[in-house]
Each structure stands twice: as C-alpha cells, then as structure tokens.
Amino acid sequence: SELATSSSTHALATAAAVGSAPALQLPPGGVRHAQALVGQELPAVVFEDPAEGSGVMFSQRQALVSQRRALASRYQKGDLVEGVVATIKIYGASVEFGPGITGLLHISQITHTRLPNVEEVLKVGDRIKAIVLSIDVEKARWTLSTKKLERQRGEFLSDRQSFMEHADEQAAAVRHKLVPS
C-alpha cells in the first residue's frame, strides 16, 4: 500500500485498487500520523467515490467499526470476562480481555471499599475477572466491574484469590440483576 497525503484526502494504492481515504475515514489521529501509515497494511472498507464516479474510497474507520461489532457480538452485558490489566490511570484501569478488546474498570467499580488510588490495588499485568456492565460498540467502550462480584465488601482487596475462585458463581447471580429475563 502507498499513502500520499494532502490536506483532507489521502490517496491509497493497493494491488487491486487505487483510490482515496478522506481524513474522516482514517482512525483517530490518522491524519496527524499519516506519514507513519505509508507502507502499512491497514484494514479498510472499499466503496465507490460518488464524486469521481469510477474511483473508489477507502474507509479504515468503517473497517474498525465492523471489527468492533464482530468482537462485541461475542460479549454481552452481564458476561464474566477474564483479562490482564493493560494500563493504570488515575480514574481506573484498562483491562484487555480479548483480541483487540479493552474495557475500563473505573476506580468506583473496583471494590465497595473507598480507594485513594488504583495503583494501591492493581498493577499492570495483573490477571483479574470482571463483569461487563455495558458495551458501546461505536465508541469501542466496554465498562467492567469487579465490585459487583464481591461477596463481602472489600473482598477484592482483602482476599483476591477467594474473589477469583468465586467470581463465576457471583457472576451468575449478578447477571440476573443486570439482564432481567
């Protein structure tokens, strides 16, 4: 693939087609980093360019949304997921629980006990189980909770091993509350 930049549209050439990708169809930050995309293989949806008639347009953004929808269809609100803490921020931790899927475990959803900061409880690389509270496919946001899986207040903090061992049975009980039949 080859990418040549202009102000609002980026020309793309592949073995099968030549076309362009409007700036809005690149992933977030794609325009600022367009030069870094040169030579990269990128997933893209191909569609006709109505302005040019015979040309084609590429949309990496649409391809990413399609991938997210496919990934999201594997998970539902109330599902128990197991993942690895990928990053820690002041407001919570991102947990990677599937290929290309990262959910936010907000500080308020870690435990019933008040936490002054996330780093006191979680470290990058920690393996945890959490329940899916919500999924926003368009924005690629999964909201997670360990707090809802606690059998007793603060269990996630005081006895992580027990918490992990009983997460499956707790998830079944919580699922009925989150997803009424």
Side-chain angles (χ1 to χ4, degrees):
S1 296
E2 182 181 326
L3 178 69
T5 63
S6 69
S7 62
S8 65
T9 302
H10 303 281
L12 296 172
T14 68
V18 175
S20 60
L24 289 174
Q25 296 302 323
L26 292 173
V31 176
R32 287 189 304 273
H33 307 290
Q35 205 54 41
L37 299 175
V38 173
Q40 299 290 322
E41 287 190 27
L42 305 170
V45 172
V46 178
F47 55 97
E48 286 188 51
D49 181 357
E52 294 188 25
S54 61
V56 295
M57 297 283 284
F58 294 93
S59 173
Q60 186 181 15
R61 188 175 294 255
Q62 284 183 3
L64 294 173
V65 167
S66 295
Q67 286 176 342
R68 283 188 208 122
R69 282 191 182 123
L71 292 171
S73 68
R74 290 192 227 159
Y75 300 97
Q76 296 178 14
K77 181 178 179 178
D79 281 354
L80 180 71
V81 295
E82 186 169 351
V84 177
V85 175
T87 61
I88 295 178
K89 304 288 184 194
I90 192 167
Y91 53 83
S94 63
V95 179
E96 191 172 307
F97 60 93
I101 302 178
T102 303
L104 172 63
L105 178 59
H106 191 271
I107 190 169
S108 66
Q109 288 298 321
I110 294 173
T111 183
H112 284 92
T113 306
R114 185 169 159 10
L115 288 179
N117 77 53
V118 180
E119 292 173 327
E120 288 184 17
V121 180
L122 295 170
K123 304 283 181 250
V124 171
D126 282 357
R127 207 156 187 59
I128 65 165
K129 290 182 181 181
I131 196 157
V132 178
L133 293 181
S134 67
I135 301 171
D136 182 336
V137 177
E138 299 302 317
K139 294 181 180 176
R141 290 185 184 158
W142 278 260
T143 305
L144 308 175
S145 176
T146 51
K147 172 173 141 177
K148 298 228 183 271
L149 298 174
E150 289 184 325
R151 293 177 301 156
Q152 297 120 22
R153 292 178 64 82
E155 179 186 24
F156 187 79
L157 302 176
S158 63
D159 193 351
R160 179 92 49 99
Q161 183 176 347
S162 176
F163 171 87
M164 293 289 281
E165 289 171 3
H166 294 95
D168 295 313
E169 62 195 52
Q170 285 300 108
V174 172
R175 188 175 300 113
H176 292 297
K177 292 176 187 173
L178 290 175
V179 187
S181 302

